[in-house]
Amino acid sequence: MEDYDIVLGARGDRRLMATDYIQRMIPDFMEFHGDRLYGDDRAVIAGIGTIGGLPVTVIGIEKGKTTAERIRRNFGSAHPEGYRKALRLMKQAAKFRRPVLCIVDTAGAFCGVDAEEHGQGRAIADNLWEMADLPTPILSLIIGEGGSGGALALCHSDRIWMLEDAYFSVVSPESCANILWKSTEKAAEAAKSLGLTAEKLHRAGLVDRICHGDERKKLAAEIAAELTRLRAVPQADLLEARYRRFRSVGC
Amino acid sequence: MDLRKLFLKANNEPEDSNPMVRSRYINCRGCGKKLSVARVRKNNFVCPECGRYMTVRARRRILMLTDKRSFTELDREMESRNILGFPEYEEKLAAAKEKSREREGVVCGTASIDGHRCAIFAMDANFMMGSMGSVVGEKITRLFEYATVRGLPVIGVTVSGGARMQEGMYSLLQMSKVSAAVRRHSNAGNLYVVLLTDPTTGGVDASFAMQGDITLAEPGARIGFAGPRVIEKSLKQALPKDFQRAERVLSCGFVDAIVPRSEQKAYLAKVLAIHEM
Protein backbone atom coordinates (compact mmCIF):
# COMPACT_ATOMS: atom_id res chain seq x y z
CA MET A 1 0.00 0.00 0.00
CA GLU A 2 1.25 3.47 -0.88
CA ASP A 3 1.85 5.91 1.97
CA TYR A 4 -0.83 8.22 0.63
CA ASP A 5 -3.37 5.38 0.68
CA ILE A 6 -2.63 5.00 4.38
CA VAL A 7 -3.36 8.70 4.88
CA LEU A 8 -6.64 8.43 2.97
CA GLY A 9 -7.54 5.25 4.85
CA ALA A 10 -6.80 6.88 8.19
CA ARG A 11 -9.42 9.50 7.35
CA GLY A 12 -12.06 6.90 6.51
CA ASP A 13 -15.37 7.35 8.30
CA ARG A 14 -15.96 3.62 8.78
CA ARG A 15 -12.98 3.23 11.07
CA LEU A 16 -13.27 2.82 14.79
CA MET A 17 -13.22 6.23 16.42
CA ALA A 18 -11.95 7.31 19.84
CA THR A 19 -15.33 6.64 21.50
CA ASP A 20 -15.31 3.08 20.09
CA TYR A 21 -11.93 2.39 21.67
CA ILE A 22 -13.06 3.94 24.93
CA GLN A 23 -16.25 1.85 25.00
CA ARG A 24 -14.37 -1.37 24.26
CA MET A 25 -11.34 -0.85 26.46
CA ILE A 26 -12.77 1.19 29.34
CA PRO A 27 -16.32 -0.10 29.89
CA ASP A 28 -16.79 1.91 33.10
CA PHE A 29 -15.73 5.22 31.47
CA MET A 30 -17.18 8.37 33.02
CA GLU A 31 -16.99 11.51 30.89
CA PHE A 32 -16.11 14.86 32.45
CA HIS A 33 -16.71 18.18 30.70
CA GLY A 34 -15.22 21.62 30.47
CA ASP A 35 -11.92 23.44 30.77
CA ARG A 36 -13.06 25.61 33.77
CA LEU A 37 -11.91 28.66 31.84
CA TYR A 38 -14.25 29.23 28.96
CA GLY A 39 -16.15 26.25 27.57
CA ASP A 40 -16.47 22.59 26.74
CA ASP A 41 -14.97 21.37 23.49
CA ARG A 42 -16.90 18.43 22.06
CA ALA A 43 -13.98 17.40 19.86
CA VAL A 44 -12.22 16.22 22.99
CA ILE A 45 -13.69 13.48 25.16
CA ALA A 46 -12.12 13.17 28.57
CA GLY A 47 -12.79 11.36 31.80
CA ILE A 48 -11.82 8.47 34.04
CA GLY A 49 -12.35 4.73 34.18
CA THR A 50 -10.42 1.50 34.44
CA ILE A 51 -8.50 -0.33 31.75
CA GLY A 52 -7.76 -3.95 32.59
CA GLY A 53 -8.48 -3.10 36.21
CA LEU A 54 -6.10 -0.11 36.26
CA PRO A 55 -7.58 3.33 36.95
CA VAL A 56 -6.75 5.79 34.16
CA THR A 57 -7.56 9.25 32.93
CA VAL A 58 -8.52 9.08 29.27
CA ILE A 59 -8.31 11.89 26.74
CA GLY A 60 -9.60 11.19 23.24
CA ILE A 61 -10.11 13.27 20.13
CA GLU A 62 -13.37 12.21 18.54
CA LYS A 63 -14.38 12.93 14.94
CA GLY A 64 -17.89 11.52 15.01
CA LYS A 65 -19.50 9.11 12.56
CA THR A 66 -22.77 10.58 11.33
CA THR A 67 -22.90 14.01 9.74
CA ALA A 68 -24.70 15.48 12.74
CA GLU A 69 -22.18 13.95 15.11
CA ARG A 70 -19.28 15.14 13.00
CA ILE A 71 -20.55 18.69 13.09
CA ARG A 72 -21.05 18.47 16.84
CA ARG A 73 -17.49 17.17 17.20
CA ASN A 74 -16.13 19.80 14.81
CA PHE A 75 -14.74 16.92 12.70
CA GLY A 76 -12.25 16.11 15.41
CA SER A 77 -10.44 19.45 15.28
CA ALA A 78 -10.05 20.79 18.80
CA HIS A 79 -10.22 24.39 19.92
CA PRO A 80 -7.93 25.68 22.69
CA GLU A 81 -10.74 24.78 25.12
CA GLY A 82 -10.29 21.13 24.19
CA TYR A 83 -6.57 21.14 24.89
CA ARG A 84 -7.21 22.99 28.16
CA LYS A 85 -9.82 20.43 29.20
CA ALA A 86 -7.27 17.71 28.44
CA LEU A 87 -4.66 19.52 30.49
CA ARG A 88 -6.99 20.08 33.43
CA LEU A 89 -7.72 16.37 33.61
CA MET A 90 -4.11 15.36 33.09
CA LYS A 91 -3.11 17.48 36.08
CA GLN A 92 -5.90 15.89 38.06
CA ALA A 93 -4.59 12.46 37.03
CA ALA A 94 -1.15 13.38 38.34
CA LYS A 95 -2.64 14.45 41.66
CA PHE A 96 -4.10 10.99 42.13
CA ARG A 97 -1.09 9.24 40.59
CA ARG A 98 -3.36 7.89 37.88
CA PRO A 99 -1.79 7.09 34.48
CA VAL A 100 -3.01 8.95 31.41
CA LEU A 101 -4.10 7.39 28.13
CA CYS A 102 -4.45 9.72 25.12
CA ILE A 103 -6.32 8.45 22.07
CA VAL A 104 -5.39 10.61 19.12
CA ASP A 105 -7.34 11.01 15.89
CA THR A 106 -7.29 14.49 14.41
CA ALA A 107 -6.51 16.18 11.12
CA GLY A 108 -5.11 19.02 13.21
CA ALA A 109 -5.95 21.71 15.74
CA PHE A 110 -8.83 23.88 14.55
CA CYS A 111 -7.90 26.89 12.45
CA GLY A 112 -10.38 29.71 12.97
CA VAL A 113 -10.70 33.22 14.31
CA ASP A 114 -12.00 32.18 17.74
CA ALA A 115 -9.44 29.41 18.08
CA GLU A 116 -6.67 31.90 17.32
CA GLU A 117 -7.99 34.59 19.63
CA HIS A 118 -8.46 32.12 22.47
CA GLY A 119 -4.81 31.18 22.08
CA GLN A 120 -4.52 27.97 20.05
CA GLY A 121 -0.73 28.26 19.99
CA ARG A 122 -0.56 28.95 23.71
CA ALA A 123 -2.88 26.02 24.50
CA ILE A 124 -0.69 23.54 22.60
CA ALA A 125 2.48 25.07 24.07
CA ASP A 126 1.00 24.71 27.57
CA ASN A 127 0.28 21.02 27.04
CA LEU A 128 3.84 20.35 25.89
CA TRP A 129 5.14 22.35 28.84
CA GLU A 130 3.01 20.57 31.44
CA MET A 131 3.29 17.09 29.97
CA ALA A 132 7.09 17.45 30.00
CA ASP A 133 6.89 17.38 33.78
CA LEU A 134 3.63 15.56 34.51
CA PRO A 135 4.48 13.14 37.34
CA THR A 136 2.43 10.20 36.09
CA PRO A 137 2.85 7.83 33.14
CA ILE A 138 1.38 8.92 29.78
CA LEU A 139 0.72 6.61 26.85
CA SER A 140 -0.52 8.02 23.54
CA LEU A 141 -2.22 5.82 20.99
CA ILE A 142 -2.70 7.17 17.47
CA ILE A 143 -5.69 5.39 15.98
CA GLY A 144 -6.14 7.30 12.72
CA GLU A 145 -4.86 10.75 11.91
CA GLY A 146 -1.99 12.30 13.80
CA GLY A 147 -2.25 15.79 12.37
CA SER A 148 0.65 18.06 13.29
CA GLY A 149 0.65 20.25 16.42
CA GLY A 150 -2.95 19.39 17.22
CA ALA A 151 -1.97 15.75 17.65
CA LEU A 152 1.40 16.49 19.23
CA ALA A 153 -0.39 18.37 22.03
CA LEU A 154 -1.47 14.93 23.31
CA CYS A 155 1.74 13.09 22.46
CA HIS A 156 4.40 14.43 24.81
CA SER A 157 4.30 10.97 26.36
CA ASP A 158 6.36 8.13 27.76
CA ARG A 159 5.09 5.86 25.01
CA ILE A 160 3.70 6.62 21.57
CA TRP A 161 1.90 3.68 19.98
CA MET A 162 0.36 3.73 16.54
CA LEU A 163 -2.08 1.50 14.74
CA GLU A 164 -0.42 0.06 11.65
CA ASP A 165 -2.77 2.01 9.37
CA ALA A 166 -2.51 5.35 11.18
CA TYR A 167 -0.24 8.23 10.25
CA PHE A 168 1.52 11.04 12.14
CA SER A 169 2.78 14.03 10.19
CA VAL A 170 4.16 17.54 10.55
CA VAL A 171 1.80 18.70 7.79
CA SER A 172 -0.96 17.18 5.69
CA PRO A 173 0.42 15.84 2.40
CA GLU A 174 -2.01 18.08 0.51
CA SER A 175 -0.83 21.27 2.24
CA CYS A 176 2.77 20.19 1.85
CA ALA A 177 2.35 19.64 -1.90
CA ASN A 178 0.46 22.88 -2.22
CA ILE A 179 3.08 24.93 -0.39
CA LEU A 180 6.14 23.35 -2.00
CA TRP A 181 4.93 22.52 -5.49
CA LYS A 182 1.75 24.57 -5.83
CA SER A 183 -0.14 21.41 -6.66
CA THR A 184 -2.32 19.26 -4.43
CA GLU A 185 -1.99 16.53 -7.07
CA LYS A 186 1.48 15.83 -5.79
CA ALA A 187 0.05 14.88 -2.38
CA ALA A 188 0.99 11.24 -2.89
CA GLU A 189 4.61 12.20 -3.51
CA ALA A 190 4.56 14.46 -0.47
CA ALA A 191 3.08 11.67 1.67
CA LYS A 192 5.89 9.37 0.63
CA SER A 193 8.57 11.97 1.36
CA LEU A 194 7.21 13.00 4.76
CA GLY A 195 7.87 9.59 6.31
CA LEU A 196 4.53 9.63 8.10
CA THR A 197 3.54 5.94 8.32
CA ALA A 198 3.67 3.89 11.51
CA GLU A 199 6.27 1.63 9.95
CA LYS A 200 8.61 4.45 8.93
CA LEU A 201 8.22 6.28 12.24
CA HIS A 202 8.84 3.10 14.19
CA ARG A 203 11.94 2.36 12.14
CA ALA A 204 13.16 5.92 12.85
CA GLY A 205 12.65 5.29 16.57
CA LEU A 206 10.09 8.08 16.88
CA VAL A 207 7.24 5.71 17.70
CA ASP A 208 7.59 2.91 20.22
CA ARG A 209 5.19 0.35 18.93
CA ILE A 210 3.02 -0.55 15.98
CA CYS A 211 -0.30 -2.18 16.87
CA HIS A 212 -1.39 -4.63 14.19
CA GLY A 213 -4.98 -5.33 13.32
CA ASP A 214 -5.04 -8.86 14.70
CA GLU A 215 -3.80 -7.64 18.09
CA ARG A 216 -6.54 -5.11 18.65
CA LYS A 217 -8.52 -7.38 20.94
CA LYS A 218 -5.55 -7.60 23.26
CA LEU A 219 -4.88 -3.87 23.10
CA ALA A 220 -6.57 -2.99 26.41
CA ALA A 221 -4.58 -5.63 28.28
CA GLU A 222 -1.35 -4.48 26.71
CA ILE A 223 -1.95 -0.81 27.45
CA ALA A 224 -2.82 -1.70 31.05
CA ALA A 225 0.35 -3.79 31.36
CA GLU A 226 2.54 -1.02 29.92
CA LEU A 227 1.02 1.66 32.17
CA THR A 228 1.39 -0.63 35.18
CA ARG A 229 5.07 -1.13 34.34
CA LEU A 230 5.56 2.63 33.93
CA ARG A 231 3.76 3.31 37.20
CA ALA A 232 6.34 1.22 39.03
CA VAL A 233 9.17 3.42 37.73
CA PRO A 234 10.32 6.03 40.29
CA GLN A 235 8.96 9.45 39.36
CA ALA A 236 12.35 11.10 38.78
CA ASP A 237 13.44 8.25 36.49
CA LEU A 238 10.18 8.39 34.58
CA LEU A 239 10.54 12.12 33.93
CA GLU A 240 14.22 11.78 33.06
CA ALA A 241 13.42 9.04 30.54
CA ARG A 242 10.65 11.20 29.07
CA TYR A 243 13.12 14.07 28.72
CA ARG A 244 15.69 11.83 27.02
CA ARG A 245 13.07 10.41 24.67
CA PHE A 246 12.44 13.80 23.06
CA ARG A 247 15.96 15.13 23.66
CA SER A 248 17.38 12.55 21.27
CA VAL A 249 15.17 13.41 18.29
CA GLY A 250 17.16 14.73 15.33
CA CYS A 251 20.87 15.63 15.41
CA MET B 1 19.01 36.56 -13.64
CA ASP B 2 15.53 37.31 -12.41
CA LEU B 3 15.46 41.07 -12.00
CA ARG B 4 12.32 41.03 -9.94
CA LYS B 5 14.02 38.78 -7.39
CA LEU B 6 16.98 41.08 -7.28
CA PHE B 7 14.71 44.02 -6.64
CA LEU B 8 12.77 42.26 -3.89
CA LYS B 9 15.93 41.15 -2.23
CA ALA B 10 17.35 44.64 -2.24
CA ASN B 11 14.14 45.88 -0.73
CA ASN B 12 14.00 43.27 1.92
CA GLU B 13 17.51 43.28 3.14
CA PRO B 14 18.98 46.70 3.47
CA GLU B 15 22.23 45.31 4.81
CA ASP B 16 22.93 42.77 2.12
CA SER B 17 26.62 42.68 1.38
CA ASN B 18 26.37 40.91 -1.97
CA PRO B 19 28.12 43.40 -4.29
CA MET B 20 25.55 42.68 -7.01
CA VAL B 21 22.75 43.76 -4.73
CA ARG B 22 24.40 46.21 -2.41
CA SER B 23 23.07 49.65 -2.79
CA ARG B 24 23.29 52.75 -0.68
CA TYR B 25 19.57 53.22 -1.12
CA ILE B 26 16.56 51.03 -0.60
CA ASN B 27 12.86 51.47 -1.16
CA CYS B 28 10.61 50.96 1.83
CA ARG B 29 8.07 48.24 1.18
CA GLY B 30 5.54 50.17 3.21
CA CYS B 31 5.57 53.65 1.69
CA GLY B 32 7.80 53.02 -1.33
CA LYS B 33 10.08 55.93 -0.46
CA LYS B 34 13.74 55.80 -1.40
CA LEU B 35 15.86 55.77 1.75
CA SER B 36 19.56 55.71 2.42
CA VAL B 37 20.73 52.49 4.08
CA ALA B 38 22.66 54.50 6.66
CA ARG B 39 19.52 56.34 7.68
CA VAL B 40 17.51 53.12 7.93
CA ARG B 41 20.21 51.42 9.97
CA LYS B 42 20.46 54.37 12.32
CA ASN B 43 16.71 54.10 12.84
CA ASN B 44 16.95 50.40 13.85
CA PHE B 45 15.62 49.25 10.47
CA VAL B 46 12.34 51.04 10.98
CA CYS B 47 11.33 53.20 8.02
CA PRO B 48 11.94 56.81 9.12
CA GLU B 49 9.13 57.92 6.78
CA CYS B 50 6.26 55.51 7.46
CA GLY B 51 7.38 53.61 10.56
CA ARG B 52 7.29 50.21 8.88
CA TYR B 53 9.33 47.53 10.68
CA MET B 54 11.79 45.93 8.27
CA THR B 55 13.14 42.41 8.60
CA VAL B 56 16.32 42.22 10.67
CA ARG B 57 18.82 39.39 10.26
CA ALA B 58 19.47 37.26 13.36
CA ARG B 59 23.06 38.41 13.82
CA ARG B 60 22.15 42.05 13.41
CA ARG B 61 19.28 41.58 15.86
CA ILE B 62 21.67 40.30 18.51
CA LEU B 63 24.02 43.24 17.91
CA MET B 64 21.10 45.63 18.31
CA LEU B 65 20.06 44.13 21.66
CA THR B 66 23.41 43.41 23.31
CA ASP B 67 26.51 45.27 24.44
CA LYS B 68 29.26 45.88 21.92
CA ARG B 69 31.60 42.90 21.50
CA SER B 70 29.84 40.99 24.31
CA PHE B 71 28.35 38.26 22.12
CA THR B 72 30.00 34.83 22.02
CA GLU B 73 28.36 32.41 19.64
CA LEU B 74 27.56 28.79 20.51
CA ASP B 75 27.13 25.85 18.12
CA ARG B 76 27.86 27.94 15.06
CA GLU B 77 29.07 24.95 13.05
CA MET B 78 25.86 22.93 13.11
CA GLU B 79 24.26 22.30 9.72
CA SER B 80 21.17 20.45 8.58
CA ARG B 81 21.24 17.32 6.50
CA ASN B 82 18.50 15.81 4.42
CA ILE B 83 17.48 13.22 6.94
CA LEU B 84 14.41 12.02 5.00
CA GLY B 85 15.89 12.39 1.52
CA PHE B 86 13.19 14.96 0.88
CA PRO B 87 13.04 16.23 -2.73
CA GLU B 88 14.83 19.55 -3.38
CA TYR B 89 15.75 20.04 0.28
CA GLU B 90 19.51 20.30 -0.32
CA GLU B 91 18.90 22.99 -2.95
CA LYS B 92 16.63 24.89 -0.57
CA LEU B 93 19.24 24.70 2.19
CA ALA B 94 21.95 25.95 -0.15
CA ALA B 95 19.77 28.86 -1.28
CA ALA B 96 18.87 29.68 2.33
CA LYS B 97 22.54 29.70 3.33
CA GLU B 98 23.34 32.07 0.53
CA LYS B 99 20.42 34.35 1.23
CA SER B 100 20.92 34.51 4.99
CA ARG B 101 24.68 34.06 5.11
CA GLU B 102 24.00 31.74 8.05
CA ARG B 103 24.47 27.99 8.35
CA GLU B 104 21.03 27.56 9.87
CA GLY B 105 17.95 29.49 10.88
CA VAL B 106 18.93 30.45 14.43
CA VAL B 107 21.93 32.17 16.00
CA CYS B 108 22.64 31.30 19.66
CA GLY B 109 25.16 32.43 22.23
CA THR B 110 25.85 34.42 25.36
CA ALA B 111 26.08 38.18 25.71
CA SER B 112 25.46 41.02 28.07
CA ILE B 113 22.76 43.67 27.93
CA ASP B 114 23.82 46.85 29.74
CA GLY B 115 26.21 44.62 31.64
CA HIS B 116 23.66 41.92 32.54
CA ARG B 117 24.78 38.46 31.42
CA CYS B 118 22.34 36.32 29.48
CA ALA B 119 22.00 33.59 26.90
CA ILE B 120 20.35 34.76 23.70
CA PHE B 121 18.95 33.28 20.51
CA ALA B 122 17.58 35.00 17.44
CA MET B 123 15.87 33.26 14.56
CA ASP B 124 16.51 34.34 10.98
CA ALA B 125 13.63 34.98 8.57
CA ASN B 126 15.99 34.70 5.62
CA PHE B 127 16.69 31.06 6.34
CA MET B 128 13.68 29.18 4.94
CA MET B 129 11.29 31.60 6.66
CA GLY B 130 12.78 30.84 10.07
CA SER B 131 11.38 27.33 9.86
CA MET B 132 12.30 24.93 12.65
CA GLY B 133 14.13 21.79 11.63
CA SER B 134 16.26 19.49 13.78
CA VAL B 135 19.23 21.85 13.92
CA VAL B 136 17.16 24.88 14.94
CA GLY B 137 15.50 22.76 17.65
CA GLU B 138 18.82 21.30 18.77
CA LYS B 139 20.60 24.66 18.95
CA ILE B 140 17.83 26.25 21.01
CA THR B 141 17.63 23.17 23.27
CA ARG B 142 21.39 23.28 23.83
CA LEU B 143 21.18 26.98 24.65
CA PHE B 144 18.52 26.36 27.30
CA GLU B 145 20.54 23.48 28.75
CA TYR B 146 23.67 25.64 28.78
CA ALA B 147 21.74 28.45 30.52
CA THR B 148 20.20 26.03 33.03
CA VAL B 149 23.62 24.73 34.12
CA ARG B 150 24.98 28.26 34.49
CA GLY B 151 21.87 29.88 35.93
CA LEU B 152 21.62 32.36 33.06
CA PRO B 153 18.44 34.02 31.85
CA VAL B 154 17.49 33.39 28.21
CA ILE B 155 16.39 36.09 25.79
CA GLY B 156 14.73 34.65 22.68
CA VAL B 157 13.82 36.53 19.50
CA THR B 158 11.39 34.50 17.41
CA VAL B 159 10.48 34.73 13.75
CA SER B 160 9.17 31.63 12.07
CA GLY B 161 6.73 30.17 9.60
CA GLY B 162 6.60 27.03 11.76
CA ALA B 163 8.02 23.53 11.65
CA ARG B 164 10.14 22.67 8.61
CA MET B 165 8.16 20.30 6.38
CA GLN B 166 11.24 18.83 4.72
CA GLU B 167 12.23 17.09 7.95
CA GLY B 168 8.82 15.60 8.63
CA MET B 169 8.21 14.34 12.16
CA TYR B 170 11.78 15.16 13.17
CA SER B 171 10.75 18.81 12.85
CA LEU B 172 7.44 18.47 14.64
CA LEU B 173 9.07 16.73 17.59
CA GLN B 174 11.49 19.64 18.02
CA MET B 175 8.50 21.42 19.58
CA SER B 176 8.50 18.79 22.32
CA LYS B 177 12.27 18.75 22.65
CA VAL B 178 12.64 22.51 23.06
CA SER B 179 9.58 22.76 25.35
CA ALA B 180 11.07 20.19 27.72
CA ALA B 181 14.37 22.10 27.87
CA VAL B 182 12.54 25.40 28.48
CA ARG B 183 10.63 23.71 31.30
CA ARG B 184 13.83 22.50 32.98
CA HIS B 185 15.35 25.96 32.67
CA SER B 186 12.23 27.35 34.33
CA ASN B 187 12.13 24.68 37.05
CA ALA B 188 15.62 25.79 38.06
CA GLY B 189 14.25 29.28 38.69
CA ASN B 190 15.68 30.95 35.60
CA LEU B 191 14.14 33.75 33.58
CA TYR B 192 13.07 33.41 29.94
CA VAL B 193 12.01 36.52 28.04
CA VAL B 194 10.68 36.06 24.54
CA LEU B 195 10.41 38.80 21.93
CA LEU B 196 7.93 37.89 19.21
CA THR B 197 8.69 39.43 15.84
CA ASP B 198 6.94 39.35 12.48
CA PRO B 199 5.87 36.62 11.82
CA THR B 200 5.85 34.09 14.66
CA THR B 201 3.51 31.30 13.62
CA GLY B 202 2.89 27.55 13.47
CA GLY B 203 4.94 25.13 15.52
CA VAL B 204 7.12 27.86 17.01
CA ASP B 205 4.06 29.82 18.15
CA ALA B 206 2.68 26.57 19.61
CA SER B 207 5.83 25.88 21.64
CA PHE B 208 8.71 28.02 22.92
CA ALA B 209 7.33 31.34 21.61
CA MET B 210 4.48 30.96 24.08
CA GLN B 211 6.49 29.66 27.04
CA GLY B 212 8.26 32.78 28.24
CA ASP B 213 7.95 34.20 31.74
CA ILE B 214 7.63 37.54 30.00
CA THR B 215 6.26 37.77 26.47
CA LEU B 216 7.09 40.87 24.44
CA ALA B 217 6.19 41.69 20.85
CA GLU B 218 7.25 44.14 18.19
CA PRO B 219 4.57 46.56 16.99
CA GLY B 220 2.46 45.07 14.22
CA ALA B 221 4.06 41.62 14.36
CA ARG B 222 1.91 38.75 13.14
CA ILE B 223 1.54 36.21 15.93
CA GLY B 224 -0.63 33.13 15.54
CA PHE B 225 -0.92 29.41 15.07
CA ALA B 226 -2.56 29.13 11.65
CA GLY B 227 -1.80 31.35 8.70
CA PRO B 228 -4.52 33.92 7.95
CA ARG B 229 -4.93 32.64 4.39
CA VAL B 230 -5.63 29.15 5.68
CA ILE B 231 -8.37 30.51 7.91
CA GLU B 232 -9.89 32.75 5.27
CA LYS B 233 -9.81 30.03 2.64
CA SER B 234 -11.09 27.16 4.72
CA LEU B 235 -13.78 29.06 6.59
CA LYS B 236 -14.68 31.75 4.09
CA GLN B 237 -14.74 33.97 7.12
CA ALA B 238 -13.90 37.66 7.07
CA LEU B 239 -11.03 38.33 9.42
CA PRO B 240 -11.25 41.02 12.08
CA LYS B 241 -9.13 44.13 11.66
CA ASP B 242 -5.63 43.62 13.01
CA PHE B 243 -6.25 39.85 13.23
CA GLN B 244 -3.16 38.14 14.67
CA ARG B 245 -1.33 41.45 14.97
CA ALA B 246 0.64 42.06 18.16
CA GLU B 247 -1.72 44.80 19.37
CA ARG B 248 -4.77 42.54 19.04
CA VAL B 249 -2.95 39.53 20.47
CA LEU B 250 -2.15 41.71 23.47
CA SER B 251 -5.81 42.63 23.95
CA CYS B 252 -6.67 38.92 23.67
CA GLY B 253 -4.34 38.39 26.63
CA PHE B 254 -1.32 36.62 25.19
CA VAL B 255 1.38 39.30 25.22
CA ASP B 256 2.73 41.27 28.21
CA ALA B 257 3.90 44.35 26.35
CA ILE B 258 4.60 45.73 22.91
CA VAL B 259 8.03 47.28 22.81
CA PRO B 260 9.24 49.49 19.94
CA ARG B 261 12.59 48.56 18.48
CA SER B 262 14.34 51.67 19.75
CA GLU B 263 13.42 50.77 23.36
CA GLN B 264 14.00 47.02 23.34
CA LYS B 265 17.53 46.94 24.65
CA ALA B 266 16.76 49.26 27.57
CA TYR B 267 13.58 47.32 28.31
CA LEU B 268 15.42 43.99 28.44
CA ALA B 269 18.17 45.51 30.60
CA LYS B 270 15.57 46.69 33.08
CA VAL B 271 13.85 43.29 33.21
CA LEU B 272 17.20 41.54 33.69
CA ALA B 273 18.22 44.00 36.42
CA ILE B 274 15.01 43.41 38.40
CA HIS B 275 15.58 39.65 38.21
CA GLU B 276 19.10 40.01 39.52
CA MET B 277 17.98 41.80 42.70
Side-chain angles (χ1 to χ4, degrees), chain B residues 215-260:
Chain B
T215 308
L216 310 174
E218 285 205 319
R222 180 173 294 287
I223 301 157
F225 179 61
R229 266 169 304 170
V230 177
I231 296 170
E232 216 158 21
K233 220 170 116 188
S234 65
L235 299 179
K236 298 178 178 62
Q237 187 176 9
L239 301 177
K241 196 175 161 279
D242 296 334
F243 179 62
Q244 292 183 331
R245 295 293 173 192
E247 294 73 13
R248 191 171 172 100
V249 177
L250 180 139
S251 20
C252 288
F254 295 96
V255 167
D256 287 297
I258 294 169
V259 187

Side-chain angles (χ1 to χ4, degrees), chain B residues 7 43 66 134 137 165 188 197 199 220 241 259 272:
Chain B
F7 179 73
N43 205 39
T66 59
S134 299
M165 291 181 292
T197 75
K241 196 175 161 279
V259 187
L272 290 172

